[in-house]
Amino acid sequence: MNRIPKFLKGSKIYLREVRESDVNENYYRWMNDYEITRFLEVRYFPLSVEQITAYVRALDGSRDEIFLAICDQENDRHIGNIKLGPINWIHGFGDISLLIGEKGYWGKGVGSEAISLVSAYAFNVLNLNKVKAGCYADNKGSEKAFIKAGFSREGVLKNQWRMECGFQDEILLGLWVRDWIAMQNPNAGCCHV
């Protein structure tokens, strides 16, 4: 019988806290594989196991940056991470960012499911008003995952990120609680949030 605590449970995946024990050869490989990190700022510098462990330790228990492991429901394999934060408690919004480190899970809906689970948590438990994200214009997989999870494309920051071939735009995405409620209850009519 599976006794691993599952903080948020979906159909294919579950989310739980990221543990120091998760920082292993696989995690180290993810963070130093250019194909995996090419749209992340960590790509500019190699990371040691000690640096990754320090990052995980720094986020452990944070109320402003909730850092979760994405795990396969069938085999409990840690396949990536998702973070809600920083959270702005005054204005009621938080950023969502994620990494699917195991390439065999790319394009299988894992990202959109993780985004949906974290969005529901942000609205139902934390009472946030909005969740938002940004991605490089060429990161079509990330943009597609957020759109599939109900986010809307809200804007573009022109020439925001330096890439090998020049600068690239950043796509701004967001999901407002009222839109999320309408997605959960498409026949409910007007909501009173």
Side-chain angles (χ1 to χ4, degrees), residues 68-165:
L68 301 169
I70 303 170
C71 300
D72 185 314
Q73 194 77 265
E74 288 188 18
N75 58 25
D76 296 319
R77 185 176 182 190
H78 177 209
I79 60 173
N81 300 322
I82 188 164
K83 182 168 68 102
L84 173 61
I87 297 171
N88 184 314
W89 294 105
I90 293 172
H91 298 291
F93 66 83
D95 289 1
I96 295 179
S97 56
L98 75 158
L99 161 92
I100 306 300
E102 292 299 329
K103 296 176 192 176
Y105 288 85
W106 289 4
K108 299 197 186 302
V110 169
S112 58
E113 185 174 350
I115 294 163
S116 294
L117 288 170
V118 168
S119 297
Y121 170 73
F123 296 137
N124 289 332
V125 178
L126 302 181
N127 200 30
L128 295 184
N129 184 55
K130 183 176 184 175
V131 286
K132 59 192 189 78
C135 67
Y136 287 65
D138 281 352
N139 192 349
K140 300 299 183 195
S142 183
E143 182 179 8
K144 182 179 173 185
F146 280 99
I147 298 292
K148 184 177 176 185
F151 282 61
S152 298
R153 192 172 176 167
E154 295 187 333
V156 175
L157 297 175
K158 301 300 276 179
N159 297 310
Q160 181 74 5
W161 303 110
R162 183 185 305 272
M163 296 293 284
E164 303 79 24
C165 57

Side-chain angles (χ1 to χ4, degrees), residues 29-67:
R29 179 182 40 81
W30 300 346
M31 300 310 292
N32 289 287
D33 181 329
Y34 181 77
E35 189 178 7
I36 294 170
T37 63
R38 71 184 186 146
F39 297 117
L40 303 175
E41 295 306 292
V42 299
R43 73 181 180 273
Y44 292 110
F45 305 100
L47 292 173
S48 67
V49 168
E50 293 76 20
Q51 289 169 311
I52 299 166
T53 302
Y55 178 77
V56 169
R57 192 177 298 128
L59 290 178
D60 186 32
S62 173
R63 302 287 188 249
D64 297 320
E65 295 191 82
I66 299 160
F67 191 42

